[in-house]
Coordinates of all heavy atoms in Angstrom, one line a residue:
M190 N -61.5 125.3 169.9 CA -61.0 125.8 168.6 C -60.3 124.6 167.9 O -59.4 124.0 168.5 CB -60.1 127.0 168.7 CG -59.7 127.6 167.4 SD -58.5 129.0 167.7 CE -59.6 130.3 168.2
S191 N -60.6 124.3 166.6 CA -60.0 123.2 165.9 C -58.6 123.7 165.4 O -58.4 124.9 165.3 CB -60.8 122.8 164.7 OG -60.8 123.7 163.7
A192 N -57.8 122.7 165.0 CA -56.4 123.1 164.5 C -56.5 123.9 163.2 O -55.8 124.8 162.9 CB -55.6 121.8 164.2
D193 N -57.6 123.5 162.4 CA -57.7 124.2 161.1 C -58.0 125.7 161.2 O -57.6 126.5 160.4 CB -58.8 123.6 160.3 CG -58.3 122.4 159.5 OD1 -57.1 122.1 159.5 OD2 -59.2 121.7 158.9
S194 N -58.7 126.1 162.3 CA -59.1 127.5 162.5 C -57.9 128.4 162.7 O -57.9 129.6 162.6 CB -60.1 127.6 163.6 OG -59.5 127.3 164.8
K195 N -56.7 127.8 163.1 CA -55.5 128.6 163.3 C -54.7 128.9 162.0 O -53.8 129.7 162.0 CB -54.6 127.8 164.3 CG -55.1 127.7 165.7 CD -54.1 127.0 166.6 CE -54.8 126.8 168.0 NZ -54.0 125.8 168.7
K196 N -55.1 128.2 160.9 CA -54.4 128.4 159.7 C -54.8 129.8 159.1 O -55.9 130.3 159.3 CB -54.8 127.4 158.6 CG -54.2 126.0 158.8 CD -54.6 125.1 157.7 CE -54.0 123.7 157.9 NZ -54.5 122.8 156.9
P197 N -53.9 130.5 158.5 CA -54.2 131.9 158.0 C -55.2 131.8 156.8 O -55.1 130.8 156.0 CB -52.9 132.4 157.5 CG -52.0 131.2 157.3 CD -52.5 130.2 158.3
G198 N -56.1 132.7 156.8 CA -57.1 132.7 155.7 C -56.6 133.6 154.6 O -55.5 134.2 154.7
W199 N -57.3 133.8 153.5 CA -56.8 134.6 152.4 C -56.6 136.1 152.8 O -55.8 136.7 152.3 CB -57.7 134.5 151.2 CG -59.1 135.1 151.4 CD1 -60.2 134.5 151.8 CD2 -59.5 136.4 151.1 NE1 -61.3 135.3 151.9 CE2 -60.9 136.5 151.4 CE3 -58.8 137.5 150.6 CZ2 -61.6 137.7 151.3 CZ3 -59.5 138.7 150.4 CH2 -60.9 138.8 150.8
K200 N -57.4 136.5 153.8 CA -57.2 137.9 154.2 C -55.9 138.2 155.0 O -55.5 139.3 155.1 CB -58.4 138.3 155.1 CG -59.7 138.5 154.3 CD -60.8 138.9 155.3 CE -62.1 139.1 154.5 NZ -63.2 139.4 155.4
D201 N -55.3 137.1 155.4 CA -54.1 137.2 156.2 C -52.8 137.2 155.2 O -51.7 137.5 155.7 CB -53.9 136.0 157.1 CG -55.1 136.0 158.1 OD1 -55.4 137.1 158.7 OD2 -55.7 134.9 158.3
L202 N -53.1 136.8 154.0 CA -51.9 136.8 153.0 C -51.5 138.2 152.6 O -52.4 139.1 152.5 CB -52.3 136.0 151.8 CG -52.7 134.5 152.0 CD1 -53.2 133.9 150.7 CD2 -51.5 133.8 152.5
P203 N -50.2 138.4 152.4 CA -49.8 139.8 152.0 C -50.2 140.1 150.6 O -50.4 139.1 149.8 CB -48.2 139.7 152.1 CG -47.9 138.3 152.0 CD -49.1 137.5 152.6
D204 N -50.4 141.3 150.2 CA -50.8 141.7 148.9 C -49.7 141.3 147.9 O -48.5 141.3 148.3 CB -50.9 143.2 148.8 CG -52.1 143.7 149.6 OD1 -53.0 142.9 149.8 OD2 -52.1 144.9 149.9
G205 N -50.1 140.9 146.7 CA -49.1 140.5 145.7 C -48.3 141.7 145.2 O -48.8 142.8 145.3
G206 N -47.1 141.4 144.7 CA -46.3 142.5 144.2 C -45.5 143.3 145.2 O -44.7 144.2 144.8
K207 N -45.6 143.0 146.5 CA -44.9 143.7 147.5 C -43.5 142.9 147.8 O -43.5 141.7 147.8 CB -45.6 143.8 148.8 CG -46.7 144.8 148.8 CD -47.4 145.0 150.1 CE -48.4 146.0 150.1 NZ -49.2 146.0 151.3
I208 N -42.5 143.7 147.9 CA -41.2 143.1 148.3 C -41.1 143.2 149.8 O -40.9 144.3 150.3 CB -40.0 143.8 147.6 CG1 -40.2 143.5 146.1 CG2 -38.7 143.2 148.1 CD1 -39.3 144.2 145.2
L209 N -41.3 142.1 150.5 CA -41.3 142.2 152.0 C -39.9 142.1 152.6 O -39.7 142.6 153.7 CB -42.1 141.0 152.5 CG -43.6 141.0 152.0 CD1 -44.3 139.7 152.5 CD2 -44.4 142.2 152.4
K210 N -39.0 141.6 151.8 CA -37.6 141.5 152.3 C -36.6 142.0 151.2 O -36.4 141.2 150.2 CB -37.3 140.0 152.6 CG -36.1 139.8 153.4 CD -36.0 138.3 153.8 CE -34.6 137.8 153.7 NZ -34.5 136.3 153.5
P211 N -36.2 143.2 151.3 CA -35.3 143.7 150.2 C -34.1 142.9 150.0 O -33.5 142.3 150.9 CB -34.9 145.1 150.8 CG -35.9 145.5 151.8 CD -36.4 144.2 152.3
G212 N -33.7 142.7 148.7 CA -32.5 141.9 148.4 C -32.9 140.4 148.2 O -32.0 139.6 148.0
N213 N -34.2 140.0 148.3 CA -34.5 138.6 148.3 C -34.4 138.1 146.8 O -34.6 136.9 146.7 CB -35.8 138.3 148.9 CG -37.0 138.9 148.2 OD1 -36.8 139.7 147.2 ND2 -38.2 138.5 148.6
S214 N -34.2 138.9 145.8 CA -34.2 138.4 144.5 C -33.0 137.4 144.3 O -33.1 136.5 143.4 CB -34.1 139.5 143.4 OG -32.8 140.2 143.6
K215 N -32.0 137.5 145.1 CA -30.9 136.5 145.1 C -31.3 135.1 145.3 O -30.7 134.1 144.9 CB -29.8 136.9 146.1 CG -28.9 138.0 145.6 CD -27.7 138.1 146.4 CE -26.6 138.8 145.7 NZ -25.3 138.8 146.4
E216 N -32.5 135.0 146.1 CA -33.0 133.6 146.4 C -33.6 132.9 145.2 O -33.8 131.7 145.2 CB -34.0 133.7 147.6 CG -33.4 134.2 148.9 CD -34.4 134.6 149.9 OE1 -35.6 134.1 149.7 OE2 -34.1 135.4 150.8
Y217 N -33.9 133.7 144.2 CA -34.7 133.2 143.1 C -33.7 132.9 141.9 O -33.2 133.9 141.3 CB -35.8 134.1 142.7 CG -36.8 134.2 143.8 CD1 -36.8 135.3 144.6 CD2 -37.7 133.2 144.2 CE1 -37.6 135.4 145.7 CE2 -38.5 133.3 145.3 CZ -38.5 134.4 146.1 OH -39.3 134.5 147.2
K218 N -33.4 131.7 141.7 CA -32.4 131.4 140.6 C -33.1 131.4 139.3 O -33.7 130.4 138.8 CB -31.8 130.0 140.9 CG -31.2 129.9 142.3 CD -29.8 130.4 142.3 CE -29.2 130.6 143.7 NZ -28.6 129.5 144.3
T219 N -33.0 132.6 138.6 CA -33.7 132.7 137.3 C -33.1 131.9 136.3 O -33.8 131.6 135.2 CB -33.7 134.2 136.9 OG1 -32.4 134.7 137.1 CG2 -34.7 135.1 137.7
G220 N -31.9 131.3 136.5 CA -31.3 130.4 135.5 C -32.1 129.1 135.4 O -31.9 128.3 134.5
D221 N -32.9 128.8 136.4 CA -33.6 127.5 136.4 C -34.5 127.3 135.2 O -34.8 126.2 134.8 CB -34.5 127.4 137.7 CG -33.7 127.2 138.9 OD1 -32.5 127.0 138.8 OD2 -34.3 127.2 140.0
W222 N -35.0 128.4 134.6 CA -36.0 128.2 133.5 C -35.3 128.4 132.1 O -35.9 128.5 131.1 CB -37.2 129.2 133.6 CG -36.9 130.6 133.5 CD1 -36.4 131.3 132.4 CD2 -37.2 131.6 134.4 NE1 -36.4 132.6 132.6 CE2 -36.9 132.9 133.9 CE3 -37.8 131.6 135.7 CZ2 -37.0 134.1 134.6 CZ3 -37.9 132.8 136.4 CH2 -37.6 134.0 135.8
R223 N -34.0 128.5 132.1 CA -33.2 128.7 130.8 C -33.3 127.5 129.9 O -33.2 126.4 130.3 CB -31.8 128.9 131.2 CG -30.9 129.4 130.0 CD -29.5 129.7 130.5 NE -28.9 128.5 131.2 CZ -28.6 128.5 132.5 NH1 -28.7 129.5 133.2 NH2 -28.1 127.4 133.0
T224 N -33.5 127.9 128.6 CA -33.5 126.8 127.5 C -32.2 126.9 126.7 O -31.7 125.9 126.4 CB -34.7 127.1 126.5 OG1 -35.9 127.1 127.3 CG2 -34.8 126.0 125.5
F225 N -31.7 128.1 126.5 CA -30.5 128.3 125.8 C -29.4 128.9 126.8 O -29.8 129.7 127.7 CB -30.6 129.3 124.6 CG -31.4 128.6 123.5 CD1 -32.8 128.8 123.4 CD2 -30.7 127.9 122.5 CE1 -33.5 128.2 122.4 CE2 -31.4 127.3 121.5 CZ -32.8 127.4 121.4
R226 N -28.2 128.5 126.6 CA -27.1 129.0 127.5 C -26.1 129.7 126.7 O -25.7 129.2 125.6 CB -26.6 127.7 128.1 CG -25.2 127.7 128.6 CD -24.9 126.3 129.3 NE -25.3 125.2 128.4 CZ -24.4 124.6 127.6 NH1 -23.1 125.0 127.5 NH2 -24.8 123.6 126.8
P227 N -25.6 130.9 127.2 CA -24.5 131.5 126.4 C -23.2 130.9 126.7 O -22.8 130.7 127.8 CB -24.6 133.0 127.0 CG -25.1 132.8 128.4 CD -26.0 131.6 128.4
V228 N -22.5 130.5 125.6 CA -21.2 129.9 125.7 C -20.2 130.9 125.2 O -20.3 131.4 124.0 CB -21.1 128.6 124.9 CG1 -19.7 128.0 124.9 CG2 -22.2 127.6 125.4
W229 N -19.3 131.3 126.1 CA -18.4 132.4 125.8 C -17.0 131.9 125.4 O -16.4 131.0 126.0 CB -18.2 133.2 127.1 CG -17.2 134.3 127.1 CD1 -17.1 135.3 126.2 CD2 -16.2 134.5 128.1 NE1 -16.0 136.1 126.6 CE2 -15.5 135.7 127.8 CE3 -15.9 133.8 129.3 CZ2 -14.4 136.1 128.5 CZ3 -14.8 134.3 130.1 CH2 -14.1 135.5 129.7
D230 N -16.5 132.4 124.2 CA -15.2 132.0 123.7 C -14.2 133.1 124.2 O -14.1 134.2 123.5 CB -15.2 131.8 122.2 CG -13.9 131.4 121.7 OD1 -12.9 131.5 122.4 OD2 -13.8 131.1 120.5
K231 N -13.6 132.9 125.3 CA -12.8 134.0 125.9 C -11.6 134.3 125.0 O -11.0 135.4 125.1 CB -12.3 133.7 127.3 CG -11.5 132.5 127.5 CD -11.1 132.4 129.0 CE -11.3 131.0 129.5 NZ -11.1 130.9 130.9
S232 N -11.2 133.4 124.1 CA -10.0 133.7 123.2 C -10.3 134.8 122.2 O -9.4 135.5 121.7 CB -9.6 132.5 122.5 OG -10.5 132.1 121.5
K233 N -11.6 135.1 121.9 CA -12.0 136.1 121.0 C -12.4 137.4 121.7 O -12.6 138.4 121.0 CB -13.2 135.7 120.1 CG -12.9 134.5 119.2 CD -14.2 134.4 118.3 CE -14.3 133.0 117.7 NZ -15.7 132.8 117.2
C234 N -12.6 137.4 123.0 CA -13.1 138.5 123.7 C -12.1 139.6 123.9 O -11.0 139.4 124.2 CB -13.6 138.0 125.1 SG -14.3 139.3 126.2
N235 N -12.6 140.9 123.6 CA -11.7 142.0 123.8 C -12.0 142.8 125.1 O -11.5 143.9 125.3 CB -11.7 143.0 122.6 CG -13.1 143.6 122.4 OD1 -14.0 143.5 123.2 ND2 -13.2 144.4 121.3
H236 N -12.9 142.3 125.9 CA -13.3 142.9 127.2 C -13.9 144.3 127.1 O -13.6 145.1 127.9 CB -12.2 142.8 128.2 CG -11.7 141.4 128.4 ND1 -12.3 140.5 129.3 CD2 -10.7 140.7 127.8 CE1 -11.7 139.3 129.2 NE2 -10.7 139.4 128.4
C237 N -14.7 144.5 126.0 CA -15.3 145.8 125.8 C -16.4 146.1 126.9 O -16.8 147.2 127.1 CB -15.9 145.9 124.4 SG -17.3 144.8 124.2
M238 N -16.9 145.0 127.5 CA -17.9 145.0 128.6 C -19.3 145.5 128.1 O -20.1 145.8 129.0 CB -17.4 145.9 129.7 CG -16.0 145.6 130.3 SD -15.9 143.8 130.7 CE -16.8 143.8 132.2
I239 N -19.5 145.4 126.8 CA -20.9 145.8 126.4 C -21.9 144.7 126.9 O -23.0 145.1 127.3 CB -20.9 145.9 124.8 CG1 -20.1 147.0 124.3 CG2 -22.4 146.0 124.3 CD1 -19.9 147.1 122.8
C240 N -21.5 143.5 126.9 CA -22.4 142.4 127.3 C -22.7 142.6 128.8 O -23.8 142.4 129.3 CB -21.8 141.0 127.1 SG -20.2 140.8 127.9
W241 N -21.7 143.0 129.6 CA -21.9 143.3 131.0 C -22.9 144.4 131.2 O -23.8 144.3 132.1 CB -20.6 143.6 131.6 CG -20.6 144.1 133.0 CD1 -20.7 143.3 134.2 CD2 -20.5 145.4 133.5 NE1 -20.7 144.1 135.3 CE2 -20.6 145.4 134.9 CE3 -20.3 146.7 132.8 CZ2 -20.5 146.6 135.6 CZ3 -20.3 147.8 133.6 CH2 -20.4 147.8 135.0
M242 N -22.8 145.5 130.4 CA -23.7 146.6 130.6 C -25.2 146.2 130.2 O -26.1 146.7 130.8 CB -23.3 147.8 129.7 CG -22.1 148.5 130.2 SD -21.9 150.1 129.3 CE -21.2 149.4 127.8
I243 N -25.3 145.4 129.2 CA -26.6 145.1 128.6 C -27.4 143.9 129.3 O -28.6 143.9 129.2 CB -26.4 144.9 127.1 CG1 -27.7 145.3 126.3 CG2 -26.1 143.4 126.7 CD1 -27.6 146.7 125.9
C244 N -26.7 143.1 130.0 CA -27.3 141.9 130.5 C -28.4 142.3 131.5 O -28.1 143.0 132.5 CB -26.3 141.0 131.2 SG -27.1 139.6 132.1
P245 N -29.7 141.9 131.3 CA -30.8 142.3 132.2 C -30.7 141.7 133.6 O -31.4 142.1 134.5 CB -32.0 141.9 131.4 CG -31.6 140.8 130.5 CD -30.2 141.1 130.2
D246 N -29.9 140.7 133.7 CA -29.8 140.0 135.0 C -28.5 140.2 135.7 O -28.3 139.5 136.8 CB -30.1 138.5 134.8 CG -31.6 138.2 134.6 OD1 -32.3 138.2 135.7 OD2 -32.0 138.1 133.5
S247 N -27.7 141.1 135.2 CA -26.4 141.4 135.9 C -25.6 140.1 136.2 O -25.1 140.0 137.3 CB -26.6 142.2 137.1 OG -27.2 143.4 136.8
C248 N -25.6 139.1 135.3 CA -25.0 137.9 135.6 C -23.7 137.6 134.9 O -23.1 136.5 135.0 CB -26.0 136.7 135.4 SG -26.6 136.6 133.8
I249 N -23.1 138.7 134.3 CA -21.8 138.5 133.7 C -20.8 139.0 134.7 O -20.8 140.2 135.1 CB -21.7 139.3 132.3 CG1 -22.6 138.5 131.3 CG2 -20.3 139.3 131.8 CD1 -22.8 139.1 130.0
L250 N -20.0 138.1 135.2 CA -19.1 138.4 136.3 C -17.8 139.1 135.7 O -17.4 138.9 134.6 CB -18.7 137.1 137.0 CG -19.9 136.3 137.5 CD1 -19.4 135.0 138.1 CD2 -20.7 137.1 138.5
T251 N -17.2 139.9 136.6 CA -16.0 140.7 136.2 C -15.0 140.6 137.3 O -15.3 140.3 138.4 CB -16.4 142.2 136.0 OG1 -16.7 142.8 137.2 CG2 -17.4 142.4 135.0
E252 N -13.7 140.9 136.8 CA -12.6 140.9 137.8 C -11.6 141.9 137.2 O -11.2 141.7 136.0 CB -12.0 139.6 138.0 CG -11.0 139.5 139.1 CD -10.5 138.1 139.3 OE1 -11.3 137.2 139.8 OE2 -9.4 137.8 139.0
D253 N -11.2 142.9 137.9 CA -10.2 143.9 137.5 C -10.6 144.5 136.2 O -9.7 144.6 135.3 CB -8.8 143.2 137.4 CG -8.3 142.7 138.8 OD1 -8.7 143.4 139.8 OD2 -7.6 141.7 138.8
G254 N -11.8 144.8 136.0 CA -12.3 145.5 134.7 C -12.4 144.6 133.5 O -12.6 145.0 132.4
K255 N -12.2 143.2 133.8 CA -12.3 142.3 132.6 C -13.5 141.3 132.8 O -13.8 141.0 134.0 CB -11.0 141.5 132.5 CG -9.9 142.4 132.1 CD -8.7 141.6 131.5 CE -7.7 142.5 130.9 NZ -6.7 141.8 130.2
R256 N -14.0 140.9 131.7 CA -15.1 140.0 131.8 C -14.7 138.6 132.2 O -13.6 138.2 131.9 CB -15.7 139.8 130.4 CG -17.0 139.1 130.3 CD -17.3 138.3 129.1 NE -17.9 137.1 129.4 CZ -19.2 136.7 129.1 NH1 -19.9 137.5 128.4 NH2 -19.7 135.6 129.6
K257 N -15.5 138.0 133.1 CA -15.2 136.6 133.5 C -16.4 135.7 133.0 O -17.2 136.2 132.2 CB -15.1 136.5 135.0 CG -14.0 137.4 135.6 CD -12.6 137.1 135.1 CE -12.0 136.0 135.9 NZ -10.6 135.7 135.4
E258 N -16.5 134.6 133.6 CA -17.6 133.7 133.2 C -19.0 134.2 133.5 O -19.1 135.2 134.3 CB -17.4 132.3 133.9 CG -16.2 131.5 133.5 CD -16.2 131.1 132.0 OE1 -17.3 131.0 131.4 OE2 -15.2 130.8 131.4
T259 N -20.0 133.6 133.0 CA -21.4 134.0 133.2 C -21.9 133.2 134.5 O -21.6 132.0 134.6 CB -22.3 133.6 132.0 OG1 -21.7 134.2 130.9 CG2 -23.7 134.1 132.2
D260 N -22.6 133.9 135.3 CA -23.2 133.3 136.5 C -24.5 132.6 136.0 O -25.6 133.2 135.9 CB -23.5 134.3 137.6 CG -24.0 133.6 138.9 OD1 -24.4 132.4 138.8 OD2 -24.0 134.3 139.9
L261 N -24.4 131.3 135.7 CA -25.6 130.6 135.2 C -26.7 130.4 136.2 O -27.8 130.0 135.8 CB -25.1 129.3 134.6 CG -24.2 129.4 133.3 CD1 -23.7 128.0 132.9 CD2 -24.9 130.1 132.2
N262 N -26.5 130.7 137.4 CA -27.6 130.6 138.4 C -28.6 131.6 138.1 O -29.8 131.4 138.4 CB -27.1 130.9 139.8 CG -26.4 129.7 140.4 OD1 -26.8 128.5 140.2 ND2 -25.3 129.9 141.2
Y263 N -28.2 132.7 137.5 CA -29.2 133.8 137.2 C -29.4 134.1 135.8 O -30.3 134.9 135.4 CB -28.7 135.1 138.0 CG -28.6 134.9 139.5 CD1 -27.4 134.6 140.1 CD2 -29.8 134.8 140.2 CE1 -27.4 134.4 141.5 CE2 -29.8 134.5 141.6 CZ -28.5 134.3 142.2 OH -28.5 134.0 143.5
C264 N -28.5 133.6 134.9 CA -28.7 133.8 133.4 C -29.9 133.1 133.0 O -30.0 131.9 133.1 CB -27.5 133.3 132.7 SG -27.7 133.2 130.9
K265 N -30.9 133.9 132.4 CA -32.1 133.2 131.9 C -32.1 132.9 130.4 O -33.1 132.5 129.8 CB -33.3 134.0 132.3 CG -33.3 135.4 131.8 CD -34.5 136.2 132.4 CE -34.4 137.7 132.1 NZ -35.2 138.5 133.0
G266 N -30.9 133.1 129.8 CA -30.7 132.7 128.4 C -31.4 133.5 127.4 O -31.8 133.0 126.3
C267 N -31.6 134.8 127.6 CA -32.3 135.7 126.7 C -31.6 135.9 125.4 O -32.2 136.2 124.4 CB -32.6 137.0 127.3 SG -31.1 138.0 127.7
G268 N -30.2 135.8 125.4 CA -29.4 135.9 124.2 C -29.1 137.3 123.8 O -28.4 137.5 122.7
I269 N -29.4 138.3 124.6 CA -29.1 139.7 124.2 C -27.5 139.8 124.1 O -27.0 140.5 123.2 CB -29.7 140.6 125.3 CG1 -31.2 140.6 125.2 CG2 -29.2 142.1 125.1 CD1 -31.8 141.4 126.4
C270 N -26.8 139.2 125.1 CA -25.3 139.3 125.0 C -24.8 138.8 123.7 O -23.8 139.4 123.2 CB -24.7 138.6 126.3 SG -25.2 136.9 126.4
A271 N -25.3 137.7 123.3 CA -24.8 137.1 122.0 C -25.1 138.0 120.8 O -24.3 138.1 119.9 CB -25.4 135.7 121.8
E272 N -26.3 138.6 120.9 CA -26.6 139.6 119.8 C -25.7 140.8 119.7 O -25.4 141.3 118.7 CB -28.1 140.0 119.9 CG -29.1 139.0 119.5 CD -29.1 138.8 118.0 OE1 -29.0 139.8 117.2 OE2 -29.2 137.7 117.5
I273 N -25.4 141.3 120.9 CA -24.7 142.6 121.0 C -23.2 142.5 120.9 O -22.5 143.5 120.5 CB -25.1 143.3 122.3 CG1 -25.0 144.8 122.2 CG2 -24.3 142.8 123.5 CD1 -26.2 145.5 121.6
C274 N -22.7 141.3 121.1 CA -21.2 141.2 121.2 C -20.6 141.5 119.8 O -20.8 140.9 118.8 CB -20.8 139.8 121.6 SG -19.0 139.5 121.5
P275 N -19.7 142.5 119.8 CA -19.1 142.9 118.5 C -18.1 141.9 118.0 O -17.7 141.9 116.8 CB -18.4 144.3 118.9 CG -18.1 144.2 120.3 CD -19.3 143.4 120.9
M276 N -17.6 141.1 118.9 CA -16.5 140.1 118.5 C -17.2 138.7 118.2 O -16.5 137.8 117.8 CB -15.5 139.9 119.6 CG -14.8 141.2 120.0 SD -14.0 142.0 118.7 CE -12.6 140.9 118.5
K277 N -18.5 138.6 118.3 CA -19.2 137.4 118.1 C -18.6 136.2 118.8 O -18.4 135.1 118.3 CB -19.3 137.1 116.6 CG -20.0 138.1 115.7 CD -21.4 138.1 116.0 CE -22.2 139.3 115.4 NZ -23.2 139.9 116.2
C278 N -18.3 136.4 120.1 CA -17.7 135.4 120.9 C -18.6 134.7 121.9 O -18.2 133.9 122.7 CB -16.4 135.8 121.5 SG -16.5 137.3 122.6
I279 N -19.9 135.0 121.7 CA -20.9 134.4 122.6 C -21.9 133.6 121.7 O -22.5 134.2 120.8 CB -21.7 135.3 123.5 CG1 -20.7 136.2 124.3 CG2 -22.7 134.6 124.4 CD1 -21.4 137.3 125.1
E280 N -22.0 132.3 121.9 CA -22.9 131.5 121.1 C -24.0 130.9 122.0 O -23.7 130.4 123.1 CB -22.1 130.4 120.4 CG -22.9 129.6 119.4 CD -22.2 128.5 118.8 OE1 -20.9 128.4 119.0 OE2 -22.8 127.6 118.2
M281 N -25.3 131.0 121.6 CA -26.3 130.5 122.4 C -26.5 129.0 122.0 O -26.7 128.7 120.8 CB -27.7 131.2 122.2 CG -27.6 132.7 122.5 SD -27.1 133.0 124.2 CE -28.5 132.4 125.2
K282 N -26.4 128.1 123.0 CA -26.5 126.7 122.7 C -27.6 126.1 123.6 O -27.8 126.6 124.7 CB -25.2 126.0 123.1 CG -24.1 126.3 122.1 CD -23.0 125.2 122.2 CE -22.1 125.4 121.0 NZ -21.0 124.5 121.0
K283 N -28.3 125.2 123.1 CA -29.4 124.5 123.8 C -28.8 123.9 125.1 O -27.7 123.3 125.0 CB -30.1 123.4 123.0 CG -31.2 124.0 122.2 CD -32.2 122.9 121.8 CE -33.5 123.5 121.4 NZ -34.4 122.6 120.9
E284 N -29.5 123.9 126.2 CA -29.0 123.4 127.4 C -28.6 121.9 127.2 O -27.7 121.4 127.9 CB -30.0 123.5 128.5 CG -30.0 124.8 129.2 CD -28.8 125.1 130.0 OE1 -28.1 124.2 130.4 OE2 -28.5 126.3 130.2
S285 N -29.4 121.2 126.4 CA -29.2 119.8 126.2 C -27.9 119.5 125.4 O -27.4 118.3 125.4 CB -30.4 119.2 125.5 OG -30.7 119.9 124.4
E286 N -27.4 120.5 124.7 CA -26.2 120.3 123.9 C -24.9 120.4 124.7 O -24.9 121.2 125.6 CB -26.1 121.3 122.7 CG -27.1 121.1 121.6 CD -27.0 122.3 120.6 OE1 -25.9 122.9 120.5 OE2 -28.0 122.5 119.9
S287 N -23.9 119.7 124.4 CA -22.7 119.8 125.1 C -21.9 121.0 124.5 O -22.1 121.3 123.3 CB -21.8 118.6 125.1 OG -21.6 118.2 123.8
E288 N -20.9 121.6 125.2 CA -20.2 122.7 124.7 C -19.2 122.3 123.6 O -18.7 121.2 123.6 CB -19.4 123.4 125.8 CG -20.3 124.2 126.7 CD -19.6 125.0 127.8 OE1 -18.4 125.4 127.5 OE2 -20.1 125.2 128.8
Ligands
SF4_294 S1 -19.4 142.0 124.4 FE1 -18.2 140.3 123.6 S2 -16.2 141.2 123.3 FE2 -17.3 142.5 124.7 S3 -16.8 141.8 126.8 FE3 -18.7 140.8 126.1 S4 -18.0 138.8 125.3 FE4 -16.2 140.2 125.3
SF4_295 S1 -28.2 135.3 127.9 FE1 -29.2 137.1 128.7 S2 -29.3 136.8 130.9 FE2 -27.7 135.4 130.1 S3 -25.8 136.4 130.2 FE3 -26.6 136.9 128.2 S4 -27.8 138.8 128.4 FE4 -27.4 138.0 130.5

């Protein structure tokens, strides 16, 4: 038997769309494909937590019921938080721009 015959064939691959290891989404840093980054001005924030509720990636961090920084490892830059913020304290900036 040659070494190549031991390699798995296409029939050995798992079906697409299956989650084989629950909780593995943490391994995928969705922030890697971000073009725009939310920049939060905490001096204007009233901690209403609307951005926290609406963020599709659950990447707005909290502590003692107050908003903290954004976890940029998982923020994909969709801009929903900036749109929804009643205090207009989140600005979407291009990744290439400095804060
Ligand atoms: S929506 Fe705006 S004001 Fe409310 S917690 Fe988020 S950043 Fe702060
Ligand atoms: S830009 Fe989108 S993914 Fe990032 S913190 Fe705001 S709502 Fe969440």
Side-chain angles (χ1 to χ4, degrees):
M190 186 182 283
S191 73
D193 277 354
S194 65
K195 290 181 187 167
K196 287 184 179 174
W199 68 270
K200 288 182 179 175
D201 302 311
L202 297 174
D204 292 338
K207 284 187 179 168
I208 296 172
L209 303 176
K210 193 173 141 204
N213 68 351
S214 62
K215 280 195 161 186
E216 294 167 20
Y217 301 100
K218 305 277 168 83
T219 44
D221 286 353
W222 67 61
R223 189 178 54 247
T224 305
F225 289 91
R226 154 178 53 94
V228 177
W229 174 51
D230 181 349
K231 63 177 131 185
S232 68
K233 293 188 201 164
C234 179
N235 67 4
H236 301 279
C237 66
M238 306 308 283
I239 295 173
C240 59
W241 171 78
M242 281 191 288
I243 210 88
C244 174
D246 282 280
S247 300
C248 56
I249 292 175
L250 306 176
T251 65
E252 190 177 288
D253 298 329
K255 293 198 167 187
R256 190 207 143 115
K257 303 298 277 183
E258 293 294 340
T259 306
D260 185 345
L261 293 175
N262 282 325
Y263 299 102
C264 166
K265 57 191 172 196
C267 66
I269 295 173
C270 56
E272 279 293 317
I273 206 84
C274 175
M276 304 303 287
K277 300 290 172 222
C278 55
I279 304 171
E280 186 183 349
M281 299 305 291
K282 289 200 171 177
K283 272 201 163 177
E284 279 294 338
S285 50
E286 290 175 22
S287 58
E288 285 189 26

